[in-house]
Amino acid sequence: MTMLKPHASHWGFFDAVVEGGRVVGVRPFGPDPFPGSLIESVPDVVHAPCRIDRPYIRKGWLEGRRRGAMRGGEPFVPVSWDRVTRLLAEETRRIRTEHGPTAIYGGSYGWSSAGRFHHAKTQLQRFLGLGGGFTSSIHAYSYATGQALMPHVVGTAEILLGRITDWEAIARNARLMLCFGGLAAKNGLVLSGGMGRHDYLPLMRKARAAGVRLVSISPYRGDTEADLGAEWVPIRPGTDAAMMLAMAHALLAEGREDRAFLATRCVGWERLRAYILGETDGTPKTPAWAAPITGVPAETIRRLALDCADTPNMLTAAWSLQRADYGEQPWWMLVALAAMLGTIGRPGQGVGFGYGSTNGMGTPRRELPAVSSPVARNPVPLTIPVARITEMLERPGEVLQFNGRDITLPDIRMIWWAGGNPFHHHQDLNRLLRAWSRPETIVVQEPWWTAVARHADIVLPATTTLERNDIAFSSRDRFVRAMHQAIPPQAQARNDHDMLADIAEELGYRDRFTEQRDEAAWLRHLYERWRQVCAGMGFEAPSFDRFWEEGHVEAPEPPPEEAYTQFADFAADPEEHPLDTPSGKVEIFSETIASFGYDDCPGHPVWIPPREWLGAEKAARFPLHLLSYQPATRLHGQLDPGRVAAADKIQGREPVLMHPEDAAARGLVEGQVVRVFNDRGACLGGLRLDAGLLRGVVTMATGAWFDPQEPGVPGSLCVHGNPNVLTPDVGTSRLGQGPSAQSCLVEVERWDGPLPPVRAHLPPPIEEPA
């Protein structure tokens, strides 16, 4: 008997096709105009050989090899749920008693489930918070630098996270859109919390059809779809701030800056103006100055600047630009450039971040409340920047400077992770692997034998979303989706909430954790709470029973005349609607940031040569700039065992894109397996040639599961193609402390030896107890 079960994922809504207790296929959600291919991998990953079938403990941990143990190279021993529940309660109690709650790091960073109740991070951090507290993290790898910077500059992080100027307003009012980092179609395949409609490409195409000229400023032509007809301006990676400063100089040279806007709605303009003109350092930031830095001709820089002065425009930058050395600078300078043009708050114009980074950015929508699980107050106030995990483990008791604060790093004895994978999203994995040996106990809740599970001490098998009921929601989408359980939990997998409730019972607070609700009661409670708030905002959502039966709720789309422009109220009346900055205005110069005294992020945007870029001395040894991008064939590392990701690989390895002339200079040919390397590590990849890359630039997608040739040995070759064995683990600056993955130099050579097997999608060695 075939059944269809409504469901949702970060890559879209779908119906699961179920036969005989297995998911055998998927059907796209009816209203979705562009469902994409990622949902095709769902059956593969739910029933993958790398599913974790029961609880496991690292053999060495059972034998007492804990702190200082090099994880990843030892077999695992299966244990019962009863035993592992008691062990975890005892270990958690011991760590808190002997070392205090700050010794527990509740990592749990990642996209985990689109469902809002069975959201692994929320469940785990609620469990740890109610149990006495834990060290946590702040910000997100995707845009951590911007999260720290933008509140200082425009008073909010909503310019990259919230309701930004929508595409309807851009299509109606702008005639030019400068896109630093492009508008990559692949990024529109996903949205945290899921989506009923992939509106990303249709909205861009609508703006293009309305007469908006698109300019893609990127090292890769493919960062914008060919059918959008964008002008491609190739630029050296990491040099966008220099180009923006030179555009500002071109505007000043022609007297085209909006002096009224700068005088009434900004502070600090004169400081930046003096820097641009070279009055403070003797170097005018002219287009001629920027041309050899960026690789963009001076006349192109000047022309684009004057086009912006002559044409209603929107300026945008991808999230990836700030994931680089001194990533604060291009984003800050882009805001300053929009301020010079006086476009901030004009209908469909100004500046926004992330239009090319995920679905839902700029989608017209109504403001609705979130469907979300309750969180517990964490009695431990200690947080670290999310991208500084390795540093935290390496330097206990030392001070980390971050956004005006001095953080004393804790001595972490226990890491507890659920719903994410640091061996996917962190940089310099060999350094992380060495630091990973410092804690006494590492606990991971996972459905699959990912790298973080393989490098754990205690592994708890979690259900996938298709083995439980939930509700999907995203603030950037108009739909709320019922996620019906499609199949029973596989093997001994359990829901995160249920396993944590049992551990909480051993520790004496089960009822506080569950609030005496089971899954069904929680879902009804969360939905009815959401429905009540919606009613107060003028939207009458259906009852829970009707919602669950019909499978989704759709909020009405706002009428075109309500096209939204961010900062419109501020632009119209800055006295009545000030920004939430110290001055109430756009802070082109920030006294607050200047007071921190950071030489890597002074009080206004500047050009600071990256530590690794094609203009660095290191480029003599490693002459290629590696850009690691989000894949089109999976979501981060999710779906990597699926058919879509497998079909894209070359001899089982992640593709490496290279310009044909760079390949010819090294004697390399299409389809060959190559070794990509630098001083931090090396990985294999399959060569793919693309003339749409700037010479000297190579690219690899992130998300191929980390697969060291010698498990547990730092520096071992990743045979599968994880680029984060190559990327540097260094903060963007002391202000943002975001990841600098995009500032990475490498070399590429032919791999001549026998091809090592890829074992990433198989279980690790298992030893049955005697």
Side-chain angles (χ1 to χ4, degrees), residues 95-97 99-106 128 131-135 378-380 412:
I95 295 286
R96 280 209 170 96
T97 300
H99 305 289
T102 60
I104 299 175
Y105 180 64
L128 292 174
F134 61 101
T135 295
N378 183 4
V380 173
I412 297 298

Side-chain angles (χ1 to χ4, degrees), residues 323 329 447 506:
R323 295 196 297 268
Q329 304 312 313
E506 291 285 330

